[in-house]
Every structure is written in structure tokens, then in C-alpha cells.
Amino acid sequence: MLASISFPAGDGAHAQGSPTLAAIRARGSVICGVQSNNPPFSLPDSRGVWRGMDVDSCRALAAAVLGDPEKVNIRPITGLTRFPAVQGGDIDVLFGSTTWTTTRETQLGLIFAATNFFSGQGFLVRRSLGISHLTELDGATVCVPPGSTTEVILQEWFRAHRLAFQPILIDDPNEIIRAFLAGRCDVYTRDMTALSGFRTSQPNPDDFLLLPENITMEPLGAWIRKGDDQWLDVIRWTQFALIWAEQQGVTAATVDNPGAAPSSDVRRLLGEGDIGPTMGLDRLWAARAIRAVGNYGEMWERNAAPYGLSRGLNRLWDQGGLMYSPPLR
């Protein structure tokens, strides 16, 4: 069994080098910023329990660092509050379907830690409008969060195609949804995956059409403050461990019993060697993360597949996708 958690003698010194890890251990929880009502990334279920790809990434971190996936504190954020929240230390890590861009790393004092999803910007309309392509949206009203890459890319695309649109700027994602459903805007734009999840969750999904054009390809994932390299290591390699587990065929069900003769790759993943201690964790950090949320494929099947989403670019590299982990060694 791999249920116990212990920290080797050298780990204390490592942890002292990371102010974020020290704060997490002192409070006993990992504080994760995610968007509300954002399937398949993050939304409360009927009992108020948070679910989704971003939430599972947070739970995996709590399992790796604290030994318990439930020791995670989910903080809803919006497009305008997400960066101040991580800059000011209100959250330990930001997910929230946040795109990796140059200026966010060079100007905001933040660093992109790990990709947990590849998506792109899409457009949803009511089928009753009779629109089937993006080029037919000249003069349309578009609900979009202010100050987001979504807004900037939208402006650039319409300008490049000599089309006009009227932005309806709303920060709160829940209010954007209400505005779109109430007819205050013709178009709802955000990453294609979230739009698919929203459409599928509606009582009459066929009332809405997801336009075929996808105008970007964007890596989404975790952001943290610059300067805490050890916390960067923990987030990056915990995400890689979930992908590596899928590559190696290790699941939540087999993590405690990987077979009679597991490969050296599997043995390292499940605790052989000193990978964990090099990050200030114990040797079973990855095993606990996998037991908590499964491998990346299991996360997908639990959170994204129910919305009818094609895995696409999020397939493993040897299956035609972009998901890949460097070797854990």
C-alpha cells in the first residue's frame, strides 16, 4: 500500500527553499484559482462539489504535496481578478483556462508552469440566427470578458477580415452566460472546449450552433508567481506524472499493484529513486497524485468525454496529439 506519507530527512531543507510550499504546509491546503461554471474545466456539481480538468489538476497537487487530494481550497476567479489573485499571493496556483502568452510571462511577474489542455478560440450562436460561418458575423454583438486574450484576438481577427462587431464586455463568466441566453449578444466566444461543454449542458443543445472556425491554438494550464522555482518544479512534474502514467499504462486502479515486473519507468513513477526528494516531496508524490485523479486519460474520460468532446490535440503524442511528458528520471 502507498497510503502513508513521509518526508525523508533532506526534504525539510528543500521545502524551506520554497515560500509557497512552506505556506501550503503551514495552512494545510493548496489554494487554486479556477473559473466558475466552466465545464469541462471547473464547475460545482449538484452537491456543490467542484469537478473538472482544472480541479483534478489542483487535487493532484494537494495529493502530491500534502498526501490528501481533499486538502485543496478552490477559489473562483474571473478574467479581471485572476492575475492579481496570484500576484498578490491570494492563491498558490492559477488555472482558470488561462492561455500561455509572451507578455503574461514578461510583464506580469508570472510564469506558465504546466499545460493541462490544448484548445482554441471558438464561437457559439443561436441556431435561429441562421449563421453557419464566422464570416457571416459582420455587425454582430459579441459577449466577451474584458482584458482577455479572447477580446484581443477577437478584435484582431475581425479587423484583419474587414468585419465589424460590437463587444459586450462582461467580466463575470456566469453573467456572460446569462447575457447570451437572454439575447443581449448574438455570439458567445471563448475557448472551443468550454463552449462545447456549455452547449452540451443546455436543456436543448440543438438550439445552439458551434461555428466550425477555430481561430487560435492555445495551451491552457497553470500559472504561478516567478521566483519560486521549486514550486514550479512541483506543479510541472506533477502534471507530467499524470501524462507519463498514461504513457506507461498506470491507472488509479493499478497504481498500488502495477504487476509482477513493472518497468524501470513505472518503478520510478511509483517511488523508486529520489525524484520526489529533489523537489522537497517524498518518494510517493506521483503515486498519490495518480491514485487521487487517475492518469491524464482517466481525467479526460471523467471530465471531458461526458460532454461529447473529441480528445483531438489532447491525445498522447504517439496517438497524434500534443500531450507528452519528458522522462521521469
Side-chain angles (χ1 to χ4, degrees):
M1 294 296 292
L2 300 172
S4 63
I5 176 172
S6 61
F7 297 95
D11 287 353
H14 286 288
Q16 290 175 5
S18 168
T20 307
L21 275 176
I24 288 170
R25 286 180 172 145
R27 87 167 75 92
S29 66
V30 177
I31 305 176
C32 282
V34 303
Q35 290 194 39
S36 59
N37 198 11
N38 186 28
F41 300 105
S42 52
L43 76 164
D45 64 15
S46 59
R47 298 176 297 166
V49 179
W50 285 90
R51 308 289 185 190
M53 296 291 288
D54 285 349
V55 176
D56 273 359
S57 290
C58 293
R59 296 180 72 243
L61 284 172
V65 175
L66 298 172
D68 185 348
E70 301 307 316
K71 290 184 177 181
V72 63
N73 183 346
I74 299 296
R75 295 272 180 89
I77 47 84
T78 68
L80 292 181
T81 65
R82 54 184 171 171
F83 296 126
V86 67
Q87 288 166 331
D90 296 327
I91 58 178
D92 300 314
V93 56
L94 166 67
F95 282 93
S97 302
T98 301
T99 305
W100 189 6
T101 70
T102 309
T103 54
R104 286 176 175 174
E105 282 202 344
T106 59
Q107 296 181 356
L108 299 182
L110 305 178
I111 189 166
F112 188 79
T115 299
N116 71 345
F117 214 96
F118 291 98
S119 189
Q121 186 170 340
F123 299 82
L124 189 72
V125 299
R126 286 181 295 281
R127 197 176 291 274
S128 60
L129 291 179
I131 291 172
S132 57
H133 291 280
L134 190 54
T135 52
E136 301 171 41
L137 292 179
D138 193 22
T141 54
V142 183
C143 282
V144 61
S148 63
T149 55
T150 304
E151 181 189 9
V152 173
I153 293 168
L154 180 69
Q155 292 172 341
E156 292 175 347
W157 191 92
F158 271 81
R159 185 164 53 246
H161 290 79
R162 298 181 180 180
L163 300 174
F165 77 100
Q166 179 183 344
I168 307 296
L169 300 177
I170 304 173
D171 183 40
D172 185 345
N174 290 313
E175 183 57 33
I176 288 179
I177 289 172
R178 287 190 288 267
F180 175 67
L181 292 176
R184 287 177 54 195
C185 47
D186 302 316
V187 184
Y188 176 22
T189 183
R190 65 177 309 164
D191 67 84
M192 184 76 79
T193 304
L195 290 178
S196 298
F198 166 77
R199 177 183 176 275
T200 306
S201 68
Q202 296 307 297
N204 298 299
D206 286 342
D207 289 346
F208 304 94
L209 175 67
L210 188 61
L211 299 182
E213 292 87 359
N214 187 340
I215 65 173
T216 63
M217 199 291 284
E218 303 176 43
L220 310 177
W223 288 86
I224 62 171
R225 294 174 294 282
K226 280 186 175 178
D228 194 337
D229 290 348
Q230 193 167 2
W231 181 225
L232 173 64
D233 289 342
V234 170
I235 295 177
R236 178 170 290 167
W237 287 99
T238 298
Q239 185 64 38
F240 280 147
L242 302 177
I243 299 168
W244 187 254
E246 184 180 10
Q247 292 177 201
Q248 301 301 321
V250 177
T251 69
T254 65
V255 69
D256 291 324
N257 185 18
S263 68
S264 58
D265 287 327
V266 171
R267 292 199 303 272
R268 282 192 298 272
L269 178 68
L270 301 184
E272 184 178 279
D274 291 328
I275 293 176
T278 66
M279 296 184 287
L281 306 179
D282 74 349
R283 291 178 174 84
L284 303 182
W285 62 285
R288 288 193 304 274
I290 298 162
R291 190 188 307 111
V293 302
N295 62 40
Y296 184 84
E298 291 178 284
M299 289 171 56
W300 179 277
E301 290 301 315
R302 180 169 56 253
N303 297 301
Y307 291 99
L309 300 175
S310 170
R311 189 160 168 185
L313 294 176
N314 295 289
R315 295 190 296 264
L316 294 179
W317 66 276
D318 58 354
Q319 298 171 11
L322 296 178
M323 280 296 168
Y324 169 78
S325 170
L328 271 74
R329 49 176 87 242

